């Protein structure tokens, strides 16, 4: 079983839409959780960390459900510049485990 | 530019040849990671260093792969007797992890794209 599972999409949404991505992880001992963004042919970059209490950064909201081993990312009021692949990342021990990524295209 | 740098950015080689990639982490970062990423997949962990010590290696890292970080600064990843299945993007990342911490944000380099013909 993979450490991190994500729906690869693609998600194609109009500008201004709200879109949500989900991710599950298999190891209940996992300690920290992140969302990274990766643009085409570029390196991944940290978008936000995910805390048990949930956290928000502008149009982005991340949630963690430890009981269900489930992480989510909500993007409100989508912009064209949000088009990218969103990688769910789980830290277990000293390792980061990446999901396959979810592809988002925001359409004008 | 004080980010993570990798060299070369692209490498094309013939099957059976050896290749070596270099990563220069952010100065003062004590952790350095190597990942491999293929099309449509997320980065897969290969190995990591805490200063000059290689602390963990993935089962993905066959004995044809070797990594070093001799002075705790830059690192090299060598692949011997390359195979077509080695074609991928090889990403390096670094982070600064304090005493008592297990991890911190990883900053990635631009990657080395390897094509094995």
């Amino acid at each position: 079983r993979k450490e991190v599972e994500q729906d690869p999409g693609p998600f194609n949404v109009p500008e201004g839409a709200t879109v949500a991505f989900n991710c599950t992880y298999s190891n209940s001992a996992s300690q920290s959780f992140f969302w990274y963004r990766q643009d085409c042919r570029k390196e991944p970059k940290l978008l936000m960390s995910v805390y048990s209490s949930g956290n928000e950064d502008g149009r982005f909201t991340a949630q963690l459900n430890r009981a269900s081993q489930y992480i989510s990312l909500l993007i409100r009021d989508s912009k064209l510049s949000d088009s990218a692949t969103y990688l769910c990342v789980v830290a277990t021990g000293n390792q980061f485990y990446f999901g396959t990524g979810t592809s988002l295209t925001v359409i004008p | 530019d004080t980010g993570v740098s990798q060299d070369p950015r692209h490498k094309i080689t013939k099957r059976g040849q050896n290749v070596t990639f270099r990563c220069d982490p952010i100065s003062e970062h004590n952790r350095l990671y190597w990942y491999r990423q293929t099309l449509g997949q997320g980065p897969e962990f290969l190995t990591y260093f805490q200063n000059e010590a290689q602390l963990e290696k993935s089962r993905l890292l066959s004995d044809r792969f070797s990594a070093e970080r001799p002075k705790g600064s830059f690192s090299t990843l060598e692949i011997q007797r390359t195979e077509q299945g080695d074609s991928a993007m090889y990403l390096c990342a670094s982070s600064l992890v304090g005493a008592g911490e297990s991890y911190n944000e990883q900053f990635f380099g631009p990657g080395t794209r390897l094509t094995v013909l």
Side-chain angles (χ1 to χ4, degrees):
Chain A
R1 183 181 175 187
K2 286 187 177 181
E3 291 277 344
V4 182
E5 302 259 15
Q6 267 187 274
D7 178 355
F11 284 64
N12 299 314
V13 303
E15 266 187 294
T18 295
V19 61
F21 306 139
N22 303 317
C23 165
T24 58
Y25 60 96
S26 61
N27 192 334
S28 60
S30 296
Q31 300 137 308
S32 282
F33 310 88
F34 308 88
W35 284 99
Y36 273 67
R37 170 189 169 134
Q38 186 170 27
D39 292 295
C40 188
R41 298 191 172 274
K42 299 284 190 181
E43 70 273 22
K45 292 185 179 178
L46 179 68
L47 178 65
M48 59 197 305
S49 300
V50 187
Y51 303 117
S52 297
S53 54
N55 50 301
E56 189 173 308
D57 182 2
R59 298 181 292 107
F60 298 84
T61 301
Q63 296 276 358
L64 166 65
N65 183 322
R66 284 189 183 271
S68 302
Q69 295 180 202
Y70 169 95
I71 305 156
S72 66
L73 176 69
L74 183 77
I75 305 175
R76 291 181 298 278
D77 188 23
S78 300
K79 311 290 185 192
L80 296 177
S81 58
D82 294 334
S83 298
T85 295
Y86 291 83
L87 296 159
C88 175
V89 185
V90 173
T92 306
N94 293 319
Q95 284 194 35
F96 275 31
Y97 293 93
F98 287 76
T100 55
T102 300
S103 173
L104 171 67
T105 301
V106 181
I107 303 164
Chain B
D1 185 352
T2 56
V4 179
S5 62
Q6 291 187 245
D7 183 68
R9 296 289 304 276
H10 304 273
K11 179 70 177 179
I12 300 173
T13 191
K14 292 182 179 179
R15 190 162 49 106
Q17 298 295 305
N18 299 343
V19 294
T20 300
F21 309 141
R22 177 180 171 122
C23 171
D24 286 89
I26 293 172
S27 181
E28 306 304 323
H29 276 194
N30 51 4
R31 285 254 178 109
L32 188 149
Y33 300 80
W34 284 100
Y35 293 88
R36 180 171 67 188
Q37 186 174 25
T38 54
L39 195 62
Q41 300 296 317
E44 295 176 295
F45 170 80
L46 293 178
T47 188
Y48 89 92
F49 293 84
Q50 174 85 18
N51 300 312
E52 67 276 8
Q54 187 174 18
L55 295 188
E56 202 161 337
K57 294 198 297 186
S58 165
R59 289 167 297 182
L60 293 174
L61 215 65
S62 76
D63 56 8
R64 297 185 297 106
F65 288 71
S66 62
E68 294 183 343
R69 195 183 183 197
K71 298 180 180 178
S73 56
F74 74 92
S75 175
T76 57
L77 177 69
E78 181 183 15
I79 309 174
Q80 295 183 325
R81 305 181 303 282
T82 52
E83 302 173 355
Q84 288 183 322
D86 297 331
S87 295
M89 176 73 85
Y90 290 83
L91 291 162
C92 173
S94 72
S95 66
L96 180 61
V97 179
E101 292 181 314
S102 295
Y103 47 77
N104 204 344
E105 177 185 355
Q106 295 187 16
F107 295 84
F108 282 82
T112 295
R113 184 170 296 280
L114 173 66
T115 302
V116 182
L117 301 176

